[in-house]
Amino acid sequence: MILLLAPMEGLLDFVLRDILTRVGGVDRCVSEFIRITDQLLPERVFIRDVPELLQGSKTASGVPVRPQLLGSDPLCLADNAACLAGLGAEGIDLNFGCPSPVVNRHRGGSALLEEPEVLYRIVLAVRRAVPGHLPVSAKMRLGLHDDRRAEECALAIEAGGASELVVHARTKTDGYRPPAYWERIADIGSVVHLPLVANGEIWTVADAQRCREVSGCQSLMLGRGMVANPGLAQAIRAMDAQHCEPVVMTWPVLFELIDQFWWLVVEHLDRDQQTGRLKQWLNLLRRVYPQAQAAFMAVRPFHNPADVVNWLKGQRLSLDV
């Protein structure tokens, strides 16, 4: 059983990966996608998007990070994958699931699920371009507008030589609307032999348990559920260990993570991005933590990072009382 931290464009970047992997329970992360068009990217671009490459392709807490590539040109993807391998990447992941209209219009992400033969050529080219010991994995949705070719796409990815396949159990048209169709992952599992990882609508331990039962997968990829509840991976592991009452992360413990997140944001992101990133995380946290609602409303008007610093100081004083 493995628990993966999902790639989430514009949200789960190297800063939040650092924070969430400090909590524990995650076996591996996948980076936000790196868009490949028609050229070999300079090394600085890979390091900008996946700075963990400078520390053995691991987060500060030692969790492996696998860079993800997105594109439709097999040879160009292969060249960039080989460059990443030379930079010490833990492996290469391929994005066949992004639902962004802009990405799809440029023949990337889930748009390729209409072209299983292209999926095959991409995986095959990347597999041949990187050393044999490096894993090449992929992530797909069930399809573009419908799921009729889901098995065909999975078989193409397997035939190309992928070592693992994450299936987000929705189509591009479904977007992120519930439900996730976990039963379709079981259908895919009946025709392929490579390891499958289930993804989509896993917000709670109960969701994880149900997803495993329906999909037939023991391994899971956690996305928004882990962002909203940073202790989710640990709680799932507690379930596996048959601990009836997994420890829930308290607000004071979570506040320490929020504080650490803020200072990483200040260190690494441009000033005009900083307050927005904090609001973005608090907005998801309030799904699980009532205290996050008050925190979100407090910081919502802020645009000056100095206001956030003063708010954090006030919160710390109140928590210390």
Side-chain angles (χ1 to χ4, degrees):
M1 187 271 292
I2 58 171
L3 295 179
L4 307 184
L5 188 59
M8 299 184 68
E9 179 67 14
L11 174 63
L12 240 168
D13 63 352
F14 66 93
V15 174
L16 195 51
R17 284 198 296 270
D18 183 335
I19 293 298
L20 294 181
T21 54
R22 294 180 188 189
V23 179
V26 174
D27 294 296
R28 187 173 76 242
C29 306
V30 179
S31 79
E32 295 174 289
F33 69 74
I34 302 168
R35 183 76 167 100
I36 305 299
T37 54
D38 57 358
Q39 61 183 317
L40 177 62
L41 296 179
E43 292 182 0
R44 68 176 183 276
V45 173
F46 296 125
I47 292 170
R48 179 197 66 198
D49 293 345
V50 192
E52 294 97 339
L53 289 166
L54 297 176
Q55 50 195 35
S57 201
K58 292 180 172 62
T59 67
S61 54
V63 177
V65 179
R66 186 170 298 177
Q68 185 183 79
L69 299 180
L70 178 149
S72 58
D73 184 323
L75 294 180
C76 198
L77 283 162
D79 289 343
N80 282 275
C83 182
L84 275 167
L87 291 172
E90 181 271 345
I92 304 295
D93 193 73
L94 297 168
N95 183 318
F96 303 130
C98 178
S100 164
V102 173
V103 168
N104 295 164
R105 279 198 301 271
H106 290 86
R107 201 165 167 246
S110 57
L112 293 176
L113 297 171
E114 293 287 281
E115 304 179 74
E117 68 283 358
V118 177
L119 302 182
Y120 166 75
R121 294 204 304 269
I122 288 172
V123 177
L124 182 65
V126 171
R127 177 66 278 170
R128 288 175 172 174
V130 302
H133 70 276
L134 283 186
V136 173
S137 53
K139 184 180 181 185
M140 62 173 277
R141 281 180 175 248
L142 294 177
L144 187 61
H145 302 301
D146 57 58
D147 66 352
R148 289 178 295 176
R149 304 187 79 175
E151 287 90 344
E152 184 182 358
C153 288
L155 285 166
I157 291 167
E158 180 180 50
S163 58
E164 177 185 85
L165 176 60
V166 177
V167 181
H168 184 141
R170 286 181 276 227
T171 66
K172 180 267 183 187
T173 300
D174 293 329
Y176 294 96
R177 295 187 303 273
Y181 300 96
W182 297 325
E183 67 278 4
R184 292 293 284 120
I185 304 178
D187 295 337
I188 291 170
S190 71
V191 299
V192 300
H193 298 95
L194 79 173
L196 294 182
V197 180
N199 175 232
E201 287 301 301
I202 303 171
W203 294 93
T204 66
V205 170
D207 291 338
Q209 190 169 21
R210 178 67 177 152
C211 178
R212 285 172 163 177
E213 292 170 356
V214 174
S215 71
C217 296
Q218 287 304 299
S219 296
L220 307 173
M221 175 174 274
L222 309 176
R224 291 175 298 159
M226 182 78 176
V227 178
N229 178 10
L232 180 58
Q234 280 191 326
I236 292 170
R237 292 200 180 280
M239 174 189 73
D240 287 352
Q242 297 183 337
H243 295 164
C244 296
E245 297 183 5
V247 176
V248 177
M249 185 181 296
T250 64
W251 177 252
V253 172
L254 179 56
F255 176 80
E256 289 296 328
L257 289 176
I258 294 170
D259 187 67
Q260 293 164 21
F261 172 76
W262 171 252
W263 291 111
L264 284 176
V265 164
V266 169
E267 179 182 356
H268 294 290
L269 301 186
D270 293 339
R271 189 177 188 276
D272 61 357
Q273 298 177 300
Q274 293 170 7
T275 58
R277 287 305 306 280
L278 179 60
K279 295 172 196 178
Q280 183 187 42
W281 192 22
L282 288 172
N283 184 42
L284 273 164
L285 286 172
R286 59 185 179 161
R287 181 179 176 117
V288 175
Y289 288 88
Q291 301 93 330
Q293 172 67 25
F296 176 76
M297 297 307 294
V299 305
R300 189 176 184 181
F302 296 163
H303 299 285
N304 187 340
D307 293 331
V308 174
V309 173
N310 289 331
W311 175 78
L312 287 169
K313 289 179 179 177
Q315 289 295 111
R316 184 172 294 281
L317 288 172
S318 68
L319 289 171
D320 286 343
V321 172

